[in-house]
């Protein structure tokens, strides 16, 4: 054995026999950063509407008039329940702001419901879209009393 350190390559073998050439990346940068993703206002409105409806104490979304029109629209064959009712979103490239109009159940703490709605909406929108939610404004337009009939329940077709 020679006096050469074992970690050194044998004489004449300083370079690897197979040379790899690094080819330049086309387009430059990470492929995930190439291009732009845009998210429509309606997408954010749907996510926020579903997240708000999941909160205990939220009876409905929207004002009395919009709920009445929505109930009529829901009765039309082929019509579907609008998950965006009572939700307005303004979406930018990196941020979004939301306005929600809700009806709460009688007896619940409105401030607690509003806080829970904000938390649920912000979490869902930020997780699903990657957008920063800068504000969620909540307007409570009505309180659903226990003895009130529900406007959104369609009347039976057969009487």
């Amino acid at each position: 054995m020679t006096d050469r350190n074992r970690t050194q390559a044998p004489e004449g073998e300083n370079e690897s026999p197979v040379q790899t050439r690094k080819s330049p990346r086309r387009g430059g940068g990470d492929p995930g950063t190439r291009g732009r993703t845009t998210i429509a206002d309606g997408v954010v409105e749907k996510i926020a509407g579903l997240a708000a409806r999941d909160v205990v104490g939220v009876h409905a979304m929207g004002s009395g008039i919009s709920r009445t029109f929505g109930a009529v629209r829901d009765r039309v064959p082929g019509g579907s329940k609008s998950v965006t009712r009572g939700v307005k979103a303004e979406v930018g490239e990196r941020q979004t702001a939301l306005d929600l109009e809700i009806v709460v159940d009688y007896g619940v703490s409105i401030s607690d419901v509003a806080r829970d709605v904000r938390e649920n909406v912000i979490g869902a929108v930020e997780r699903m879209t990657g957008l920063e939610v800068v504000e969620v404004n909540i307007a409570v337009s009505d309180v659903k009393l226990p003895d009130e009939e529900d406007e959104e329940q369609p009347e039976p077709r057969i009487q």
Side-chain angles (χ1 to χ4, degrees), residues 53 61-76 79-86 151-154:
R53 282 177 175 80
M61 301 287 296
S63 67
I65 294 172
S66 72
R67 290 193 332 266
T68 300
F69 284 131
V72 170
R73 185 181 54 242
D74 293 346
R75 288 186 204 132
V76 173
S80 61
K81 189 171 185 176
S82 175
V83 295
T84 61
R85 184 182 314 141
E151 293 175 1
E152 294 190 23
Q153 292 295 325

Side-chain angles (χ1 to χ4, degrees), residues 71-145:
V72 170
R73 185 181 54 242
D74 293 346
R75 288 186 204 132
V76 173
S80 61
K81 189 171 185 176
S82 175
V83 295
T84 61
R85 184 182 314 141
V87 183
K88 177 68 180 140
E90 292 181 28
V91 180
E93 287 188 29
R94 295 186 187 101
Q95 297 177 326
T96 186
L98 294 150
D99 294 322
L100 305 177
E101 190 169 2
I102 66 173
V103 176
V104 297
D105 292 319
Y106 177 79
V108 299
S109 166
I110 293 174
S111 59
D112 289 349
V113 170
R115 183 196 64 236
D116 293 346
V117 167
R118 276 191 188 91
E119 289 176 1
N120 212 33
V121 166
I122 290 169
V125 170
E126 288 185 346
R127 179 176 34 81
M128 292 182 71
T129 66
L131 296 168
E132 176 191 4
V133 178
V134 293
E135 67 181 7
V136 177
N137 299 311
I138 298 173
V140 179
S141 62
D142 202 357
V143 174
K144 168 68 171 74
L145 300 176

